[in-house]
Amino acid sequence: MYDKYLIVGEAFKNVVEGGQVTGYQIGLRLPYYRGVVLSLVGETILTVDGERAPAEAMTVTLRGKTYPKTQFEDEPVAKWEFGDIGIVTVAKPGGLKPGEHKVELRQQMKISYVPGGFWGGDTKTLTLPG
Amino acid sequence: MTSQSKIKRGVTLYSFQEEYFLRQLSLEQIIAVCAQLDIPGIEIIGDQMIPNYPNISDEFVKQWHGWMDKYGRTPVCLDMFLDWNKYKGRVMTDDERFESVVHDIHNAHKLGCTVIRVIHDVEPALLEKLAPTAEKHNVKLALEIHAPSYFDSPLEQRLVEMFRRVQSPSLCFTLDMGVFTKFQPRVASDRFLREGMKPEIVQYLIEAYNTRTLPSSHELGKRNDALPKKILEMGGREADIYWAMMGTHSVYSDLALLRDYLPYVKHIHGKFWEMLPEGREFSIPYDEIVPILIEGGYDGYIDSEYEGNRWIQDAFTVDSAAQVGLHQAMLKRLLGEA
C-alpha cells in the first residue's frame, strides 16, 4: 500500500560537506498504515541506476534526529510516524551525477500479525539537480 | 424503527488515512469533517494519528478533549497493536505483553474511549489476566474478528470458551464486516487489470470468489498452494499470484452464526471498499446484516471503516469523506434514522 508515494523526489540531491560531495539524499515513506518503532522497519533495498546503497552507508533523519540504518533493529522506542518522510542520506564519495536516475526501492516491514512480514516498493525516474 | 434500534454510528479515522498520510488533512481537520458528516462516534488508531504513541503527551490529551468538545463528537474506541517482535533477537515476555496492553488501557481511559480494538494475535490467557484492569478503567477489550477468521475459527472458539468461563463485562469481540464479503470487491479486480493481470484470470478470480469455489484460499494457518498453481496454469505471472492472494482473501461467512454469537460482539467495524452512489456497498450486503444486528439487540457502535483507498490510490484521487458520507447515509437508512 502507498507504493507510489514511497520515493519522494523533492528531497533528491547530492550532499556537500566542507566543499566535498560526500553522498546523496532522498526522501522515503513507509508502505504501511501506521507509524512503527524503527526495529519493525526491515530491510531497505534502495538502488540508483541498479547500484544498491549499502545499509552501512545509510542514515535516516526523522523529525530532526538521525539514525544509522544498521542500528534500526536496536531501536524499540523511536518511531517512524505514519506518512512521515524520512530523509535518507547515503554516503558515497563524489555523490551522483546531475541528471536523470532510475531509483528503485523495496522496503520490508516486520509486522508481527502478518506472518513473514511484507514488502512495499516504488520505482521512479528522478532528476538530480546540478 | 428508530425506537427499536439502539445502534450508534461512528467512524474509525483509519478511513481518512490517505489524506492524513499525504498531509492534506490534519487530525483536527478530520474530526471537523466527521462533524460535517454528522458522525457521532470517533475511533482512532494510536499508532496512526497520535504522535509518539503509546507515550501520549498531556498536551495531546488536552487537545483531543478540546476537539471533542469543539466539534461535539464522542470518543469511542482506541485501536491497539502488540508488537511482540520489536526487541532484537527475542519475542516479548508475558509480563511485557501484559504491560504493553495495560499502557493501552490507560491511554484509552485518558482519551475517553470505552472500547479497545484488540489486534488478532493476542492470546486468550493474556486477555483474561487483563480483564480486572480493563474493568477498573471501564474499558472493553474487544478482540477483532477479521476475515478470513470468523466465530467458528479456532482462536475465536477458545475466546468464547474463556468469555463464558470468566464472565467479565470487559471481554468481547470487535467484528469486522469484511467477514460478510458476498462479492469480490470491484476495486480489487479493477486493480488486478491495471497491474497487468490477464483479463481471463481476473474473470476467473471474480467468478470463483463469488461462487465460493476459489481453491482453498481460506484455510487458516495453511499455505495456499492451489491458487498459485491455478494462476500459473492459466498463464499468470508471479506478480499475479501476489495480487490474487492480496485481493481475494475476504470471506462470506454464515449470517446464522452472527445471531448466535452477537451477545459477545460489543464493537463493529463497518468495513467497506466501494460505496456506490445509490447508497449500497459493492460487495457487502449491509441490508441483510444490519436487520440481524437490530433484531439481536446489538447496542454498540458501527464504525465506518473505508479500506478502498489502497486499491485505487495508484490511479485515482481518493475522496475518503465522500465514501464515508455515503456509508453513513446507508447506515442511517438501515437504522431507521433517515
Side-chain angles (χ1 to χ4, degrees):
Chain A
M1 65 198 93
Y2 292 110
D3 292 83
K4 80 167 185 182
Y5 298 120
L6 302 185
I7 296 173
V8 182
E10 286 78 1
F12 191 44
K13 62 171 190 182
N14 274 327
V15 180
V16 182
E17 283 172 331
Q20 302 282 313
V21 178
T22 55
Y24 63 91
Q25 276 185 345
I26 192 161
L28 298 182
R29 294 184 179 108
L30 296 179
Y32 194 33
Y33 64 79
R34 65 177 173 123
V36 291
V37 294
L38 300 187
S39 59
L40 301 183
V41 178
E43 220 182 333
T44 301
I45 302 177
L46 176 70
T47 67
V48 177
D49 304 322
E51 186 186 327
R52 182 164 172 190
E56 299 73 33
M58 208 183 280
T59 65
V60 184
T61 303
L62 294 158
R63 302 202 173 197
K65 268 197 89 176
T66 298
Y67 307 88
K69 182 64 183 60
T70 50
Q71 285 174 27
F72 268 33
E73 57 184 349
D74 299 304
E75 188 47 76
V77 177
K79 289 183 82 176
W80 189 326
E81 299 284 1
F82 174 63
D84 264 10
I85 298 167
I87 300 298
V88 176
T89 305
V90 180
K92 180 180 163 64
L96 300 169
K97 287 193 183 114
E100 274 200 354
H101 295 278
K102 189 181 181 193
V103 182
E104 289 183 271
L105 171 74
R106 294 243 309 135
Q107 179 60 57
Q108 182 190 31
M109 300 299 298
K110 298 194 277 189
I111 304 305
S112 59
Y113 67 88
V114 182
F118 61 89
W119 294 77
D122 187 13
T123 302
K124 285 194 175 90
T125 299
L126 302 175
T127 303
L128 191 92
Chain B
M1 204 168 161
T2 313
S3 55
Q4 292 171 11
S5 168
K6 301 187 192 81
I7 299 174
K8 293 158 277 199
R9 287 180 294 107
V11 63
T12 166
L13 303 189
Y14 176 92
S15 302
F16 300 97
Q17 59 176 275
E18 184 91 6
E19 289 84 353
Y20 186 90
F21 179 92
L22 293 172
R23 305 297 186 249
Q24 293 166 346
L25 290 178
S26 66
L27 177 53
E28 181 179 4
Q29 287 170 320
I30 292 171
I31 294 166
V33 169
C34 296
Q36 283 157 20
L37 294 173
D38 183 31
I39 312 172
I42 303 292
E43 172 171 351
I44 188 166
I45 298 183
D47 275 331
Q48 190 172 58
M49 297 186 188
I50 301 177
N52 209 29
Y53 192 89
N55 303 306
I56 308 183
S57 68
D58 294 342
E59 188 196 350
F60 180 86
V61 174
K62 204 177 150 209
Q63 223 172 24
W64 169 259
H65 288 292
W67 292 332
M68 292 299 130
D69 288 346
K70 181 176 173 187
Y71 298 103
R73 304 299 102 187
T74 303
V76 175
C77 179
L78 173 70
D79 290 38
M80 61 70 87
F81 293 82
L82 187 61
D83 293 320
W84 47 259
N85 60 337
K86 71 178 177 181
Y87 298 114
K88 186 181 178 181
R90 65 180 185 88
V91 297
M92 271 189 190
T93 63
D94 289 349
D95 286 348
E96 286 167 338
R97 290 172 201 234
F98 179 81
E99 287 307 323
S100 178
V101 188
V102 166
H103 202 167
D104 293 317
I105 292 170
H106 290 155
N107 284 337
H109 187 67
K110 279 187 201 170
L111 297 174
C113 293
T114 49
V115 178
I116 291 178
R117 186 298 312 257
V118 174
I119 190 75
H120 194 257
D121 62 344
V122 173
E123 278 297 309
L126 176 57
L127 289 174
E128 182 174 348
K129 201 173 145 194
L130 286 157
T133 311
E135 286 172 30
K136 194 177 138 200
H137 291 92
N138 189 32
V139 168
K140 289 182 166 57
L141 297 172
L143 183 130
E144 184 171 9
I145 303 179
H146 190 286
S149 293
Y150 192 46
F151 294 113
D152 51 357
S153 301
L155 172 68
E156 282 70 9
Q157 283 295 303
R158 284 165 54 216
L159 283 163
V160 168
E161 184 275 324
M162 187 269 281
F163 294 166
R164 284 177 178 153
R165 182 168 49 75
V166 176
Q167 294 290 324
S168 164
S170 282
L171 298 177
C172 54
F173 289 124
T174 293
L175 181 63
D176 182 286
M177 292 286 107
V179 299
F180 303 119
T181 303
K182 194 170 187 177
F183 304 107
Q184 171 61 35
R186 181 170 63 179
V187 288
S189 53
D190 284 354
R191 178 71 177 270
F192 299 164
L193 290 169
R194 288 198 299 280
E195 296 293 336
M197 193 186 286
K198 286 161 71 173
E200 52 269 38
I201 300 179
V202 177
Q203 202 50 44
Y204 159 75
L205 290 171
I206 294 169
E207 282 169 21
Y209 183 87
N210 292 348
T211 54
R212 325 283 161 236
T213 54
L214 213 54
S216 65
S217 58
H218 309 133
E219 283 187 59
L220 283 171
K222 282 188 189 158
R223 237 180 64 195
N224 179 359
D225 294 321
L227 184 58
K229 190 163 167 272
K230 175 77 184 170
I231 288 168
L232 293 177
E233 276 170 12
M234 293 184 73
R237 313 157 301 167
E238 284 293 329
D240 297 332
I241 295 172
Y242 166 80
W243 286 108
M245 300 291 261
M246 287 272 293
T248 63
H249 76 274
S250 299
V251 288
Y252 181 50
S253 305
D254 184 359
L255 281 165
L257 285 189
L258 176 59
R259 290 190 177 86
D260 299 342
Y261 288 102
L262 194 55
Y264 299 106
V265 176
K266 300 295 179 194
H267 192 62
I268 289 178
H269 277 172
K271 166 70 59 63
F272 67 102
W273 290 280
E274 183 186 8
M275 283 304 299
L276 301 172
E278 65 264 32
R280 64 180 178 86
E281 214 282 332
F282 184 84
S283 331
I284 302 172
Y286 277 89
D287 51 347
E288 292 174 33
I289 303 162
V290 175
I292 295 173
L293 301 175
I294 295 172
E295 281 163 32
Y298 176 70
D299 61 0
Y301 278 83
I302 302 177
D303 284 356
S304 296
E305 188 187 52
Y306 176 49
E307 201 168 282
N309 68 314
R310 63 172 67 172
W311 292 105
I312 66 168
Q313 64 190 180
D314 63 307
F316 302 98
T317 301
V318 173
D319 190 344
S320 306
Q323 283 287 296
V324 169
L326 283 167
H327 192 257
Q328 287 285 317
M330 176 187 72
L331 290 180
K332 279 186 177 176
R333 171 173 61 80
L334 293 171
L335 295 172
E337 287 183 54

